[in-house]
Amino acid sequence: MFEKVLIANRGEIALRVHRACREMGIATVAVHSTADEHAMHVRLANESVCIGPPQASESYLNIPAIISACEITGADAVHPGYGFLSENARFAEILEAHGITFIGPTSDHIKLMGDKIAAKAAVKALGIPVVPGSPGAVTSNEEALRVSKEMGFPVLVKAAAGGGGRGMKVALTEDALIEAFSTARAEAKAAFGDDAMYIEKYLGRPRHIEVQVIADSHGNVVHLGERDCSLQRRNQKILEEAPSPALNEESRKKIGEIVSRAIGKLGYLGVGTVEFLYEDGEFYFIEMNTRLQVEHPVTEAITGIDLVREQIRIAAGLELSFKQEDVNFRGHAIECRVNAENAKTFVPSPGTIREYHTPGGLGVRVDSGVYSGYRIPPYYDSLIGKLIVHGRSRNECLMRLRRALHEFVIEGVDTTIPLFKELVNDPDLIDGNYHIHWLEEFLERS
Ligand code: MV4
């Protein structure tokens, strides 16, 4: 097992990783920008190294500075958290070249899944259902028109280098297609330096359901069920839950087995999330994420498995501590992302937290690095914490969530808590009756 892990991240996820290390008897190194000197994970870590100024490009994305921090402290592994360098294949390669373990999948798998066209072709070949669309890259207007007419409108033009909703354009008609294709292509070239494009049948009101998988270096692959992440705004998830209200035990088992088998054949290592759109009872692959995700705690709540602990064990070459038949899905969990933003306008609200009181009690977890008197810096994303509630049933989970939201006090900055207080009383939300555009429609009506 590793003796010392460097945490190449900040905020609640840096603290989350520290907690797993601490429980495993592994020393931690926090790296931080000058803006994060007073962060909770920096205080709790065994050692800390300042790696640069506030701008992420100069600190949390600064590979030479992070490698130097590893060398100075003698860290034998790096956990990248999510965002920042977590899906940077070059970072994983450079670490390996320095004899430092990247706690995550191989750089080849990161690269494969980073290319959305290659990823789709690879998983399709392994038996995962994909969205109908162009068989590969579409390189001309004529080809774009031909494949679109074949599958029928509306279609969605996507960039191979995109993902997470960046570089997409819907075309409702033949006339709109050429315009959408050229614009999306030019935007992809400008944004990613790569204008490889592909086209898919556009699904109108799907749910976003993702399957959590975990694989070790001994050939064991286990799926940990799904999360429903349909409640989003501008590609930012707001609330996630597990299990999905849209699936039954049979469909869960079926998609889980399809994903496990594929991931096993791929020789994948570590945790991964296979993202699907789900419409009219069918799953359609869209992307695979090769990192630990923000919403991993809902899976932890219903399975009792510590995903960060397992990531670290896998990276150290150990076997998974459970088999598929040992995984029992228990009850229901919901996560609310507490952002320092205005709950109506979503305008970021950095500043100093004055009063701070977190909810507690049975089935309530708060993952956050903030505290009373903490100053939220303006340089990073506005997620300041996550409220994760577990109950024996979805209804018990919702009742507990209402109670927990009522207890949560954050003063001094605006937060998304008032939005969640409204959402948990909405009839559609109570019924689990929503899709990826539901929240935007809800916000327009209220
Ligand atoms: C789609 C789609 C409809 N049809 N693909 C957006 C993020 C990226 N991961 C894929 N996305 C979508 N792909 C087809 N063929 C609708 C979306 C989409 C979406 C997907 C998941 C979560 C939120 C979303 C918000 C808008 C659009």
Side-chain angles (χ1 to χ4, degrees):
M1 185 43 68
F2 309 119
E3 283 181 11
K4 198 184 273 190
V5 166
L6 182 142
I7 304 164
N9 215 299
R10 64 178 303 281
E12 65 85 20
I13 197 62
L15 181 56
R16 169 71 189 85
V17 173
H18 168 82
R19 284 172 171 156
C21 291
R22 180 93 195 173
E23 290 179 10
M24 297 172 83
I26 300 168
T28 57
V29 179
V31 291
H32 63 88
S33 72
T34 52
D36 283 335
E37 218 183 304
H38 303 293
M40 186 56 81
H41 79 280
V42 174
R43 286 199 211 173
L44 288 171
N46 298 77
E47 293 170 78
S48 66
V49 180
C50 181
I51 50 166
Q55 294 78 9
S57 58
E58 306 292 310
S59 50
Y60 298 104
L61 293 170
N62 185 341
I63 296 177
I66 293 167
I67 301 287
S68 300
C70 289
E71 310 260 79
I72 292 164
T73 58
D76 33 25
V78 170
H79 194 300
Y82 53 68
F84 295 125
L85 297 169
S86 61
E87 292 176 292
N88 185 313
R90 195 166 55 89
F91 181 54
E93 269 166 17
I94 294 170
L95 283 173
E96 283 321 315
H98 283 76
I100 304 159
T101 304
F102 176 77
I103 301 174
T106 64
S107 57
D108 286 340
H109 285 130
I110 299 174
K111 245 180 257 167
L112 173 67
M113 297 307 169
D115 177 340
K116 306 305 167 190
I117 295 177
K120 188 176 176 184
V123 305
K124 186 179 179 196
L126 295 170
I128 291 182
V130 301
V131 190
S134 59
V138 174
T139 54
S140 69
N141 290 349
E142 295 70 39
E143 194 185 354
L145 197 55
R146 187 171 52 74
V147 298
S148 301
K149 279 165 85 171
E150 253 172 51
M151 69 184 130
F153 288 87
V155 300
L156 190 58
V157 180
K158 296 184 172 183
R166 298 171 311 155
M168 303 192 326
K169 283 263 181 299
V170 186
L172 300 177
T173 62
E174 274 180 42
D175 287 344
L177 177 73
I178 302 302
E179 171 67 18
F181 185 71
S182 332
T183 316
R185 201 174 181 188
E187 284 177 11
K189 186 81 198 168
F192 318 117
D194 174 0
D195 68 353
M197 307 303 291
Y198 63 117
I199 299 181
E200 287 182 344
K201 180 89 189 151
Y202 177 69
L203 304 176
R205 291 190 150 202
R207 300 178 80 108
H208 180 202
I209 297 180
E210 55 187 32
V211 176
Q212 178 72 59
V213 283
I214 184 163
D216 67 18
S217 56
H218 302 264
N220 301 299
V221 188
V222 173
H223 77 82
L224 299 174
E226 80 287 358
R227 296 183 287 258
D228 197 316
C229 306
S230 304
L231 284 180
Q232 60 85 37
R233 176 187 173 271
R234 300 195 183 168
N235 293 302
Q236 291 291 325
K237 294 167 186 166
I238 293 283
L239 178 154
E240 305 95 347
E241 64 178 312
S244 169
L247 299 191
N248 57 29
E249 215 168 299
E250 188 192 340
S251 50
R252 171 168 311 111
K253 186 158 187 273
K254 185 169 169 225
I255 194 67
E257 284 173 0
I258 289 171
V259 167
S260 296
R261 201 172 320 121
I263 291 307
K265 282 193 235 161
L266 201 59
Y268 189 81
L269 189 69
V271 304
T273 303
V274 182
E275 295 191 343
F276 293 95
L277 297 178
Y278 181 78
E279 196 172 68
D280 300 330
E282 301 290 336
F283 283 97
Y284 304 94
F285 170 88
I286 44 172
E287 288 172 22
M288 177 167 181
N289 298 321
T290 56
R291 61 174 188 276
L292 179 74
Q293 292 197 260
V294 176
E295 60 272 25
H296 76 277
V298 297
T299 298
E300 295 186 324
I302 63 160
T303 62
I305 293 165
D306 181 333
L307 284 171
V308 180
R309 178 188 175 92
E310 296 302 328
Q311 277 191 295
I312 296 169
R313 287 173 45 87
I314 291 166
L318 299 176
E319 263 193 81
L320 277 176
S321 59
F322 50 87
K323 302 247 182 259
Q324 188 68 58
E325 56 267 28
D326 301 323
V327 178
N328 293 308
F329 299 109
R330 276 191 46 250
H332 199 95
I334 298 180
E335 172 180 276
C336 295
R337 295 193 185 192
V338 180
N339 294 340
E341 303 176 340
N342 184 281
K344 290 213 180 310
T345 63
F346 299 92
V347 173
S349 176
T352 302
I353 294 180
R354 292 300 170 197
E355 293 292 327
Y356 186 69
H357 179 265
T358 54
L362 184 61
V364 177
R365 166 178 174 182
V366 176
D367 274 21
S368 176
V370 309
Y371 48 85
S372 183
Y374 175 76
R375 189 152 51 86
I376 302 162
Y379 310 101
Y380 312 106
D381 81 52
S382 60
L383 183 87
I384 57 167
K386 305 182 305 205
L387 168 62
I388 306 101
V389 175
H390 184 238
R392 286 171 301 182
S393 64
R394 190 168 185 273
N395 190 42
E396 185 176 76
C397 184
L398 275 171
M399 291 195 292
R400 198 164 270 164
L401 177 56
R402 287 185 198 109
R403 183 277 283 175
L405 287 166
H406 181 72
E407 285 179 33
F408 214 150
V409 178
I410 303 178
E411 282 172 15
V413 298
D414 289 343
T415 75
T416 43
I417 292 171
L419 170 63
F420 294 119
K421 286 181 174 169
E422 280 188 50
L423 285 175
V424 293
N425 289 312
D426 184 278
D428 285 343
L429 195 120
I430 292 168
D431 291 345
N433 180 23
Y434 56 81
H435 51 78
I436 62 171
H437 305 296
W438 184 91
L439 181 61
E440 278 158 357
E441 293 169 10
F442 168 89
L443 293 168
E444 272 168 40
R445 341 185 247 282
S446 59

